[in-house]
DNA sequence: TTCTCTGCAAATAATTTGCACCCAT
DNA sequence: ATGGGTGCAAATTATTTGCAGAGAA
């Protein structure tokens, strides 16, 4: 099965890269729809799946929430906001994490690992302190 | 709002603890249904949510998949099987991970972090090599 | 008695799939 | 022309919610 570069696929890829963010399928759908109004959400889902399968984009499955897709393919870790669910990249030395290591891998054949940091993003902190003043 | 210990709640808690596994709501539903055939799945969901809210059990949101609930409350990390989605505990020194640290937290107020290791569990490795022999 | 909890069914949210037509190669 | 891709609607999966009656405290 070889990939074809359709207009839809090209546009989805372009918008994701242009955004430099970690977008969900429907966020991306809203963006692309402005340019191709007749595109369907299913097409966005299908393409994101195919593109990440092909290693052209990354797929993020953070904290049991909606999937997000990543313009950046290289393996890296993330920090996310528990309030607004925004996701940012984490610059962390993955090597040193591996060195710290885990012993009891329970006989698993380890494929990879990832560190996920949770917190409140600057914007939500600001909103929150504003609300507290009001009280 | 104070909690009441109903039969349903007690049974859900007992079965989760008895299993010593990381079960999903419907896995637990199947177990409890054998004892209380009229229990509803919604009750299981509601109770798992309430119990984890109360800190009596743990909630796991691993890799964008179905939520799993944890008999063990203390904070710890997990390893999961990419084939069968089974989850096991990881004995790892969380302190040393934190020490390795991350620099660029992008202004987030950090709440916590977790390490998630992916791999293939012993059982699925066995099944897989059996399949390969057949070919 | 009071107020939380339950069962049931319906609603929601995110994602996937079947199908007939379309279009990139 | 061929087989992957698209739009649309319907199906699925996981989870949540409204409501009237049940049962812990």
């Amino acid at each position: 099965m070889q990939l074809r570069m359709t207009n839809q696929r090209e546009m989805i890829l372009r918008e994701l890269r242009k955004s430099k963010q970690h977008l969900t399928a429907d966020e991306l759908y809203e963006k692309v729809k402005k340019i191709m109004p007749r595109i369907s959400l299913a097409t966005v889902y299908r393409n994101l799946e195919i593109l990440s399968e092909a290693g052209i984009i990354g797929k993020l499955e953070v904290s049991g929430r909606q999937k997000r897709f990543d313009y950046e393919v290289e393996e890296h870790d993330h920090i996310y906001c528990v309030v607004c669910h925004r996701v940012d990249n984490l610059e962390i030395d993955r090597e040193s994490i591996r060195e710290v290591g885990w012993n009891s891998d329970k006989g698993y054949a380890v494929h990879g690992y990832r560190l996920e940091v949770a917190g409140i993003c600057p914007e939500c902190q600001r909103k929150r302190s504003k609300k507290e003043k009001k009280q």
Side-chain angles (χ1 to χ4, degrees), chain A:
Chain A
M1 179 180 76
Q2 58 181 343
L3 295 194
R4 288 179 185 177
M5 191 46 71
T6 59
N7 290 330
Q8 291 78 338
R9 186 164 296 168
E10 197 174 0
M11 216 41 84
I12 288 166
L13 194 50
R14 179 182 302 176
E15 288 301 308
L16 179 59
R17 285 181 171 157
K18 205 173 73 182
S19 80
K20 304 215 168 168
Q21 288 182 58
H22 305 82
L23 301 177
T24 61
D26 61 295
E27 284 168 350
L28 212 31
Y29 171 61
E30 291 304 327
K31 282 184 189 292
V32 176
K33 209 166 52 168
K34 285 183 185 145
I35 306 158
M36 314 179 85
R38 296 195 49 107
I39 198 173
S40 102
L41 181 54
T43 299
V44 176
Y45 270 107
R46 267 186 292 232
N47 276 306
L48 289 172
E49 203 51 50
I50 288 169
L51 289 169
S52 68
E53 206 67 32
I56 297 169
I57 62 174
K59 177 159 49 160
L60 257 80
E61 307 189 342
V62 175
S63 268
R65 302 218 28 109
Q66 229 175 324
K67 280 177 198 152
R68 289 178 178 275
F69 295 85
D70 201 335
Y71 57 98
E72 168 74 64
V73 187
E74 218 177 289
E75 206 164 53
H76 58 282
D77 297 289
H78 296 95
I79 186 166
Y80 72 96
C81 177
V82 297
V83 179
C84 71
H85 307 115
R86 165 199 182 82
V87 176
D88 282 299
N89 291 337
L90 207 54
E91 269 112 63
I92 186 172
D93 180 16
R94 284 180 60 82
E95 273 314 303
S96 57
I97 293 279
R98 171 140 251 171
E99 275 161 25
V100 166
W102 43 86
N103 341 337
S104 60
D105 56 16
K106 303 271 207 271
Y108 276 64
V110 174
H111 278 194
Y113 60 99
R114 63 179 196 188
L115 184 69
E116 201 179 287
V117 180
I120 303 185
C121 74
E123 201 180 336
C124 287
Q125 287 176 53
R126 216 177 311 123
K127 280 182 195 157
R128 188 156 287 198
S129 60
K130 216 180 269 178
K131 208 185 278 175
E132 269 157 26
K133 264 182 211 159
K134 276 186 194 159
Q135 290 175 343

